[in-house]
Amino acid sequence: MKPIIFDVDTGIDDALAMAYALNSPELDLLGFTTCFGNVSVVEATRNTLAVLEKVGKQVPVYMGAKQTLMRGEKDGNSKHVHGEDGLGNTLKKAPMAQAESKFAPDFMIEQVKNRPHDITILAVGPLTNLALAIKKAPEIIPLVKEVVIMGGAVKVPGNASPYAEANIIADPEAAEVVFSSGLPVTLVGLDVTMKTLLPKTKLKEWRATEQKAAKFFADMTEFYIGFYESNYPGIGGCALHDPLAVGIAIDPSFVVTESMNIKVVTEGEEVGRTVGNVEDDPKIQVCTEVEANRFLDHFLSRVIG
Ligand code: BDR
Ligand code: CA
């Protein structure tokens, strides 16, 4: 089993990614760490605990950054994408469990030091927690086995601006810290995630299973598909951004990658853009092609448990 620290900003696709990971025997989830992003960090922590409760699993949750490295609170919110509660307005009551007291970046540092060359960090929100961890303890950089990041748009347009993807524009300086650190990053950007679509017909199948979590996930995902249908007419589903990062942590053969260096634009109209170049010993594995149907079948075989 692969030991994983899973960094989330729990909105709807994070929740689907969590369920996929929690139901995957290849992954050993050491802890979830939370970040502002789709919602505030307090809401992301609550949502992470709520999803764990729905899936019926116990994994410790560590609250992390409430704001960006250098820009204070993030501008705007993603409530039009993920709902008022971040979970498509499905949350009926607060979860019973509580987060641990340790700050998320400190949990990352502690775990990586305890298990050198062993841990995969899976990050599907803004990169603030990981940036804080490596700024505080740069000695962990060579000790991290692998970092799989959902973020960026290298050869395709952005989704939060014509240039930038949402997780990167949410904290461009944090992303730049991570991409220039030498960490062994696989970048799962819109280049591939916009090709992995969950069709609405699947929600009916989930409801028909009568599994405990199925209705919750179907209702939540219906909200998310509604956003995609109005913003990308004719798209035929919602993009499985965060779940694809989980899929790649389980089975990297879902994608083809190209080695690049990534620079993040931190000023001006193109802020948040991830610019790839292949010069100077490129270190980041950028996903450029995906076997979308094979991935979708794998995701569907696990997400509802
Ligand atoms: C990313 O942004 C968030 O809205 C999603 O959860 C995903 O991590 C997609 O651009
Ligand atoms: Ca996310």
Side-chain angles (χ1 to χ4, degrees):
M1 275 165 99
K2 234 184 207 193
I4 301 276
I5 297 174
F6 198 170
D7 192 57
V8 290
D9 61 330
T10 306
I12 298 171
D13 64 323
D14 304 70
L16 294 171
M18 284 180 64
Y20 181 25
L22 287 161
N23 293 328
S24 288
E26 300 85 350
L27 305 183
D28 174 15
L29 292 159
L30 304 177
F32 287 94
T33 52
T34 62
C35 188
F36 72 88
N38 290 322
V39 286
S40 73
V41 72
V42 171
E43 292 167 319
T45 306
R46 175 202 63 197
N47 292 353
T48 305
L49 292 162
V51 172
L52 279 163
E53 202 169 281
K54 292 284 181 192
V55 178
K57 308 265 179 180
Q58 285 180 346
V59 176
V61 177
Y62 298 84
M63 185 149 79
K66 69 169 193 219
Q67 61 178 31
T68 65
L69 277 193
M70 294 167 63
R71 295 166 188 254
E73 303 258 337
K74 175 189 169 241
D75 283 346
N77 63 52
S78 309
K79 298 199 164 168
H80 58 300
V81 188
H82 296 274
E84 281 300 311
D85 59 5
L87 295 176
N89 305 327
T90 59
L91 206 58
K92 300 285 180 276
K93 57 180 173 57
M96 304 281 283
Q98 298 212 325
E100 309 296 314
S101 56
K102 195 180 284 277
F103 187 43
D106 291 330
F107 173 70
M108 289 177 170
I109 294 167
E110 171 202 87
Q111 292 295 308
V112 172
K113 285 188 174 173
N114 284 347
R115 303 178 68 157
H117 312 291
D118 201 18
I119 289 180
T120 295
I121 298 175
L122 187 50
V124 299
L127 290 167
T128 321
N129 286 332
L130 183 52
L132 287 170
I134 60 177
K135 275 167 89 75
K136 182 169 179 184
E139 66 276 14
I140 67 168
I141 292 171
L143 306 180
V144 176
K145 183 170 181 205
E146 180 190 20
V147 184
V148 180
I149 292 171
M150 191 285 128
V154 178
K155 297 186 180 185
V156 296
N159 59 359
S161 83
Y163 306 100
E165 183 278 327
N167 288 337
I168 305 301
I169 204 171
D171 195 348
E173 285 80 14
E176 178 60 22
V177 166
V178 171
F179 296 151
S180 61
S181 66
L183 279 165
V185 169
T186 298
L187 192 64
V188 186
L190 301 182
D191 306 74
V192 280
T193 65
M194 286 302 289
K195 295 176 186 157
T196 54
L197 298 176
L198 176 68
K200 198 170 179 178
T201 49
K202 295 292 169 195
L203 306 187
K204 221 180 197 173
E205 293 174 25
W206 289 1
R207 290 197 172 100
T209 64
E210 291 178 13
Q211 296 276 353
K212 197 172 149 239
K215 184 178 175 336
F216 168 70
F217 283 112
D219 290 349
M220 191 182 76
T221 306
E222 195 159 337
F223 184 96
Y224 194 49
I225 291 182
F227 164 80
Y228 273 86
E229 281 173 345
S230 39
N231 282 269
Y232 304 87
I235 190 170
C238 61
L240 292 170
H241 302 291
D242 297 349
L244 182 59
V246 172
I248 292 166
I250 298 169
D251 180 357
S253 77
F254 285 130
V255 283
V256 173
T257 61
E258 286 176 33
S259 300
M260 296 185 202
N261 285 316
I262 297 287
K263 290 292 298 171
V264 181
V265 177
T266 53
E267 276 172 16
E269 194 192 349
E270 298 188 8
V271 64
R273 184 174 189 170
T274 42
V275 181
N277 76 71
V278 294
E279 284 128 43
D280 303 332
D281 188 19
K283 295 246 168 31
I284 295 183
Q285 302 308 308
V286 176
C287 301
T288 52
E289 285 174 43
V290 57
E291 282 187 49
N293 291 337
R294 187 163 70 86
F295 160 71
L296 182 63
D297 287 347
H298 192 259
F299 166 78
L300 288 170
S301 71
R302 299 211 170 156
V303 65
I304 296 303

